[in-house]
Amino acid sequence: MQDWATRLAQHLPELEISVAADETAAAVALSSADAGYGWVPPHLLSAASHLRLLQSPYAGPFAGFYYPQLIEHPLTVCNVRGIYSDHIAQHIAMYMLALARDLPSYLAAQREGRWDTAARQSPYLDLSQATVLIVGLGGIGAETARICQVFGCEVLAVESRLEQAVDVPVHAPDELLDLLGRADFVISTLPHTPATEMMWNTHTFAAMRPGARFINIGRGMTTRLADLVAALESGHLAGAALDVFEIEPLPAEHALWRMPNVIITPHVAIADADNITERRFEILLENVRRFVANEPLLNVVDKALWY
C-alpha cells in the first residue's frame, strides 16, 4: 500500500494520501477523507463524514462487506470487476475439457499405475456439439462465452444487468429453469448476493439435463453442496468442477473430495497471477483520477444488489 500511495502521488500530486496501518489510524484518516480504498467496517463508518468514494479491492467481496448502513450511506462504491476475466475463463476452459474427456478417471488410473483403456466412467462429450449455459454474463462470463464459441459450442446466457455487447443469446433470470434442461454444461460465474444465495439447489439441479456437468467459479454461497452431492450420487449429473464452496476450506471429510466425477481446486483460479496486482492498481488510479476530475467512475456498484 505504501508503494501504491507513492505511485498515486506521482500521478496526482495534488492529492493528500494516507496509509492507515491500523484501525486507529483508519478512524483518523476517515474523518477527513473524500475517497478511500479497502473496506469500512460498520463501527468506523460514522467517522467517514466526508467520504464520497470507496474503491473496493474486490470484484465480489466477502459476506458482510455491504451492510445496511453502508448501503444507505451516500458514498459511491466501485469494484475491480474485469481484471480477472481472462484468468478465470481459462480456468473454466480447463474444467470443461477435463470433464468432457473424463480426465479424472484417467488420473485415478495413473495414480495407481494402471494402464486401463476403459478407465473412463462417462462417454466423451464433443464440445463442438455441446450446449453451454453461462449464468452471469459479466466480464468473466463474456470471456468464457468467447472461448466456448472457439470450441464450437452453442452458448446461451442468463444475465439480469448486461453491461457489454456479446454475440450470444441473453435471457432474463426468470427463464433460467427452462434453459437448464438444454445445457450440457451449466457454468455459474455469479456473485454472492441476496438474490443468488443458495440458488443452485435440489430444484435447479433437478431442472438440468440428465448427464449435464456443473461448474461453479463465482461464489461458494450460491451453491448448496449437499444438494449437489445428491445430484451427483443419483447419476442425474455426470460431473462437477468447483473452485468456490459454501464452506472454505472445504472440510476434509466432505463427500465431494472422494467423488470420482468431481474436480476441486481450492479457490485458486486467480492465485499468483502475476498481472492482477497491477490491474487492481490501474483501476484505483483511473477511478481516483476520474473522481478528482468529476468524471464518470468505472465499475460503480449497486450497493443494494452488492455488485
Side-chain angles (χ1 to χ4, degrees):
M1 288 300 97
Q2 191 59 58
D3 176 63
W4 281 18
T6 300
R7 293 175 64 187
L8 278 174
Q10 290 169 347
H11 286 278
L12 298 164
E14 68 271 34
L15 295 180
E16 179 182 340
I17 302 170
S18 298
V19 178
D22 52 38
E23 283 201 358
T24 301
V28 172
L30 282 170
S31 66
S32 59
D34 298 297
Y37 176 83
W39 179 57
V40 180
H43 64 280
L44 291 184
L45 187 62
S46 59
S49 56
H50 299 280
L51 201 65
R52 292 185 286 133
L53 167 65
L54 178 62
Q55 176 64 55
S56 169
Y58 313 103
F62 54 85
F65 184 99
Y66 297 106
Y67 48 89
Q69 301 97 309
L70 184 67
I71 292 170
E72 294 164 6
H73 196 286
L75 66 82
T76 298
V77 176
C78 296
N79 64 20
V80 295
R81 62 183 180 270
I83 69 172
Y84 313 118
S85 299
D86 49 356
H87 290 286
I88 296 181
Q90 290 165 30
H91 208 83
I92 292 170
M94 173 190 72
Y95 283 156
M96 290 180 63
L97 289 166
L99 290 173
R101 308 298 288 186
D102 196 10
L103 183 61
S105 292
Y106 291 113
L107 289 176
Q110 176 184 328
R111 285 190 291 270
E112 297 172 6
R114 175 166 46 90
W115 182 278
D116 185 357
T117 58
R120 60 187 169 93
Q121 302 299 304
S122 59
Y124 288 153
L125 175 61
D126 182 352
L127 291 181
S128 70
Q129 304 299 313
T131 299
V132 177
L133 175 62
I134 300 172
V135 186
L137 202 66
I140 296 166
E143 177 63 9
T144 301
R146 186 192 67 80
I147 291 173
C148 288
Q149 288 175 317
V150 173
F151 288 153
C153 304
E154 177 188 6
V155 182
L156 308 171
V158 171
E159 176 56 55
S160 61
R161 192 177 71 181
L162 190 63
E163 295 184 340
Q164 56 193 306
V166 290
D167 186 26
V168 299
V170 181
H171 300 264
D174 60 7
E175 300 176 76
L176 175 64
L177 290 178
D178 293 331
L179 294 168
L180 288 173
R182 297 172 54 183
D184 299 291
F185 283 94
V186 175
I187 301 172
S188 176
T189 69
L190 293 168
H192 174 208
T193 73
T196 65
E197 186 165 316
M198 298 302 166
M199 65 168 285
W200 300 113
N201 53 44
T202 296
H203 187 52
T204 42
F205 291 135
M208 292 182 191
R209 173 184 290 180
R213 283 86 167 167
F214 175 69
I215 294 172
N216 185 16
I217 205 160
R219 280 292 179 262
M221 286 298 291
T222 64
T223 304
R224 194 179 304 281
L225 293 183
D227 294 354
L228 175 60
V229 168
L232 290 163
E233 287 180 336
S234 72
H236 180 66
L237 296 184
L242 307 153
D243 189 55
V244 291
F245 307 86
E246 63 177 294
I247 304 170
E248 294 186 4
L250 186 67
E253 65 275 11
H254 200 282
L256 284 171
W257 286 113
R258 287 167 290 283
M259 302 191 82
N261 53 347
V262 172
I263 300 171
I264 290 174
T265 53
H267 207 147
V268 292
I270 58 166
D272 301 324
D274 58 10
N275 53 6
I276 292 299
T277 298
E278 185 60 24
R279 290 178 182 181
R280 188 176 278 114
F281 173 77
E282 288 170 359
I283 291 260
L284 171 63
L285 173 61
E286 179 60 16
N287 263 345
V288 171
R289 187 198 67 76
R290 291 180 180 222
F291 179 74
V292 171
N294 198 30
E295 296 175 0
L297 299 168
L298 299 174
N299 296 351
V300 174
V301 171
D302 183 329
K303 292 183 288 181
L305 297 178
W306 301 2
Y307 72 99

